[in-house]
Amino acid sequence: MLLRKLLIWPLLAWSFSGYAGDFSLEDMQGRTHRLADYRGKWVLVNFWATWCPPCLTEIPELSSLHNAHKDHDLVVIGVAMGSGSSKKVADFIEAHGISYPIVLGNNRLAAQIGKVEALPTSYLYAPNGEQVSYQTGEVTRESVETYIRNKKFN
């Protein structure tokens, strides 16, 4: 029963956030990611930091989620907040095998998405571009996949 509660809790933590406009984020490879470019796919924007223990725990989950869905129905975009130089973040990405695009973030960039009061924080957009939820705290591949399975968007 406790295991069941632990698996269901992250789903309950997702909160409805409402519609947000388009965003434009340039990743560390120089590629621009616009919400409009991903119509037809779910988009998870995850704010994190290299020094954040819960962020480190969710990185493998987000890489697994991204790898399983990137060619079909979902992409993950990570936003590194307060994590130091681009070299430091690039070294961290390589050391931790992060497979999804990473953007160097700041408060101005974050404002395009929404409030980031704690790390990690994730925002989820439906395939129609609607911001359907956000969560402060860790997410898992399973919690995101279950949430998406239970939502019906065209």
Side-chain angles (χ1 to χ4, degrees), residues 17-148:
S17 181
Y19 181 78
D22 199 9
F23 58 72
S24 179
L25 308 171
E26 185 176 325
D27 69 24
M28 294 182 63
Q29 308 305 317
R31 181 171 175 225
T32 300
H33 300 269
R34 291 178 190 84
L35 181 59
D37 295 339
Y38 293 109
R39 289 296 191 263
K41 287 188 175 189
W42 292 88
V43 178
L44 179 71
V45 179
N46 174 260
F47 293 89
W48 64 283
T50 58
W51 46 263
C52 164
C55 302
L56 298 179
T57 301
E58 77 177 355
I59 285 171
E61 294 283 326
L62 295 176
S63 285
S64 176
L65 177 69
H66 180 74
N67 293 340
H69 295 274
K70 67 182 177 185
D71 295 327
H72 309 290
D73 60 352
L74 180 140
V75 295
V76 175
I77 301 170
V79 182
M81 301 290 287
S83 292
S85 70
S86 60
K87 169 83 170 108
K88 180 179 177 182
V89 175
D91 290 346
F92 183 91
I93 291 167
E94 184 175 343
H96 289 84
I98 297 174
S99 59
Y100 47 92
I102 299 295
V103 174
L104 291 177
N106 56 43
N107 289 335
R108 185 174 169 191
L109 180 139
Q112 293 183 66
I113 311 293
K115 290 182 182 180
V116 179
E117 297 175 346
L119 296 173
T121 293
S122 296
Y123 284 83
L124 184 65
Y125 295 85
N128 64 2
E130 179 182 358
Q131 185 184 355
V132 293
S133 65
Y134 76 95
Q135 177 176 322
T136 299
E138 293 177 50
V139 298
T140 65
R141 176 180 173 177
E142 181 180 358
S143 68
V144 174
E145 288 174 337
T146 300
Y147 182 89
I148 289 170

Side-chain angles (χ1 to χ4, degrees), residues 5-25:
K5 286 181 181 178
L6 290 175
L7 292 175
I8 293 172
W9 180 85
L11 292 175
L12 299 176
W14 283 100
S15 303
F16 181 78
S17 181
Y19 181 78
D22 199 9
F23 58 72
S24 179
L25 308 171

